[in-house]
Amino acid sequence: MKKQIILGVLYVLLFTSCSGDESIVLINVDGASNEVTVNPSTQINLKEKAKFKIGAAVKVADLQGDVNYSNAVRTHYSQITAEYEMKMANIWSSSTSYNWTSSDYLVNYAKNNNMEVHGHTLIWYNSFPDWFKNAKYDSIVFESKVKIYITDVVGRYKGKIKSWDVVNEVFADGGALREEGIIKTVFKDPIGFYGRCFQYARAADPDAKLFYNDYSVVLDSGKRAAMKNMVKKFKAKGYPIDGLGDQFHYGNDTNKQTIISGFLDLASTGLLLHISELDIKVNVNKSDSYVFTDAETQKQAATYKYIVEMYEALPVNQKFAITTWGVTDKYTWLTGWWHPKEYPLLLDNNYNKKPAYQGFLNGLK
Ligand code: G3I
């Protein structure tokens, strides 16, 4: 079927060939022609092809300050996660006040752009506000105040935020309970406290999906065992949990078989699984002389492809979302935390689709 589109001084004749690729013949007014083959799959965007949510961690300042960033979020993603603005330290300003400005902005942005919001995160050792930590509450008062916080936050966004990371990163490498933070110092049974936090969230919004989120889960069998044991304890106590998140901050060099076997083990819980903070490091040796060559971009594309294919192999009732931790290499957290020469995401600094984007797309069924 031919379509003729007149674009200014150019005639564009669109031929749909039998291979399914579209060849576009550009003819200028002098009659010179130039045929360009465009594979339709490169035209479809992630959120249009995916049968589950495609999320991105976003920041209000970037949504407000960079129109290309906001356009990219709307174009490619169907869900947003606050990279930091929905954490306790950013909402819970004092014992008598909350700051809803950023979280309200993000919820409204998502609503206005027909996107979902994944709430990140209610309880994280790294994000208790200083005023709270300095109060040195005993376990009774500590928990009563946290219950009010969870009830107020989840309640405010009831029906608007469809899922929450209720608790984030409580296990250290190997699976022991993390020593940092105040939880371990306040509670003799931290797991019981976490379970009750899931109860408080469920009571505040019975329809929200409630997740436990951590990193290196599919690589660290000890941490995975500790998580599975916590899920068992939750179920025995009647504490609600709907899903588990592995952040997936991995690299081009992460062992593929280890990832896949760990992921299958995690899937054996039968819970929803969220690849919750996906980014694929390429400068794995933190080299100052690193060059993101074409070969490196293709390796990254292959890594994204097999991770997405692995996720697609899940039973449909365990699929929730794949979230990239950021939108563009331009603003990735890794250039600060890992190395300035790092290019972990799907869009480059100019919001162009990288081979990694195509790899992700090719992994989708
Ligand atoms: O934007 C403000 C800026 O206006 C202010 O001047 C500056 C100094 O206070 O802070 C800036 O905000 C910083 C924000 O990142 C944006 O860059 C916050 O201080 C800083 O705490 C925040 O760090 C975030 C970190 O979590 C802590 O919340 C990172 O962006 C975010 O990528 C990181 O994400 C975590 C996940 O939540 C959990 N998994 C690991 C992941 C990476 O550490």
Side-chain angles (χ1 to χ4, degrees), residues 43-333:
Q43 294 174 326
I44 193 169
N45 294 311
L46 293 179
K47 73 174 190 182
E48 292 155 348
K49 185 174 181 186
K51 298 183 187 68
F52 47 82
K53 292 302 175 195
I54 303 294
V58 297
K59 297 196 274 275
V60 171
D62 297 335
L63 286 173
Q64 292 177 330
D66 183 340
V67 66
N68 295 317
Y69 177 94
S70 182
N71 288 341
V73 171
R74 274 194 287 265
T75 302
H76 304 290
Y77 294 98
S78 48
Q79 184 191 71
I80 57 172
T81 295
E83 188 161 0
Y84 74 103
E85 286 142 319
M86 286 192 186
K87 290 167 184 169
M88 195 185 266
N90 297 85
I91 290 181
W92 208 359
S93 333
S94 77
S95 59
T96 56
S97 64
Y98 297 121
N99 178 351
W100 302 114
T101 308
S102 295
S103 47
D104 282 357
Y105 177 89
L106 290 169
V107 168
N108 290 331
Y109 176 90
K111 178 172 172 285
N112 295 338
N113 290 287
N114 193 26
M115 304 171 84
E116 288 197 1
V117 181
H118 178 70
H120 174 80
T121 175
L122 294 170
I123 303 292
W124 185 27
Y125 77 92
N126 210 13
S127 189
F128 276 89
D130 289 341
W131 67 264
F132 186 93
K133 290 185 285 192
N134 298 336
K136 305 270 188 245
Y137 296 123
D138 68 24
S139 61
I140 307 294
V141 175
F142 186 111
E143 182 162 345
S144 67
K145 287 185 176 292
V146 165
K147 178 179 180 180
I148 292 168
Y149 172 78
I150 292 174
T151 304
D152 288 348
V153 174
V154 177
R156 181 183 183 88
Y157 299 117
K158 181 177 178 181
K160 295 176 182 173
I161 294 182
K162 301 286 176 62
S163 54
W164 281 97
D165 287 337
V166 177
V167 178
N168 184 54
E169 299 176 18
V170 305
F171 297 112
D173 295 352
L177 273 171
R178 179 179 290 281
E179 291 298 329
E180 311 96 309
I182 49 179
I183 306 279
K184 194 113 189 277
T185 57
V186 173
F187 292 96
K188 291 189 184 63
D189 170 25
I191 300 290
F193 165 69
Y194 298 133
R196 293 188 295 275
C197 288
F198 275 81
Q199 278 184 318
Y200 304 148
R202 178 69 96 224
D205 184 350
D207 298 327
K209 296 297 180 196
L210 306 179
F211 285 78
Y212 172 74
N213 189 53
D214 212 324
Y215 60 82
S216 298
V217 179
V218 295
L219 303 185
D220 183 336
S221 57
K223 182 180 277 195
R224 204 163 57 240
M227 281 170 61
K228 288 167 73 175
N229 196 30
M230 179 176 74
V231 169
K232 275 201 194 98
K233 280 186 184 171
F234 278 15
K235 294 198 179 205
K237 288 265 188 181
Y239 297 147
I241 183 167
D242 301 303
L244 298 170
D246 182 340
Q247 295 171 13
F248 264 73
H249 294 296
Y250 297 138
N252 255 351
D253 63 337
T254 310
N255 183 286
K256 178 175 175 179
Q257 276 319 310
T258 305
I259 286 183
I260 292 175
S261 57
F263 192 73
L264 287 172
D265 182 30
L266 200 60
S268 69
T269 60
L271 294 175
L272 287 169
L273 297 190
H274 184 195
I275 293 181
S276 57
E277 304 183 16
L278 179 60
D279 43 33
I280 297 297
K281 291 186 277 296
V282 288
N283 186 2
V284 295
N285 298 316
K286 298 186 179 183
S287 163
D288 292 339
S289 58
Y290 178 79
V291 178
F292 193 35
T293 61
D294 184 53
E296 289 286 284
T297 68
Q298 294 306 325
K299 259 176 86 176
Q300 186 184 49
T303 303
Y304 269 105
K305 182 171 183 283
Y306 89 72
I307 288 173
V308 176
E309 285 172 336
M310 175 190 73
Y311 193 80
E312 282 278 30
L314 278 175
V316 66
N317 65 344
Q318 287 189 262
K319 292 181 190 175
F320 169 70
I322 296 180
T323 300
T324 57
W325 205 244
V327 175
T328 161
D329 289 344
K330 183 177 176 183
Y331 298 138
T332 175
W333 70 290

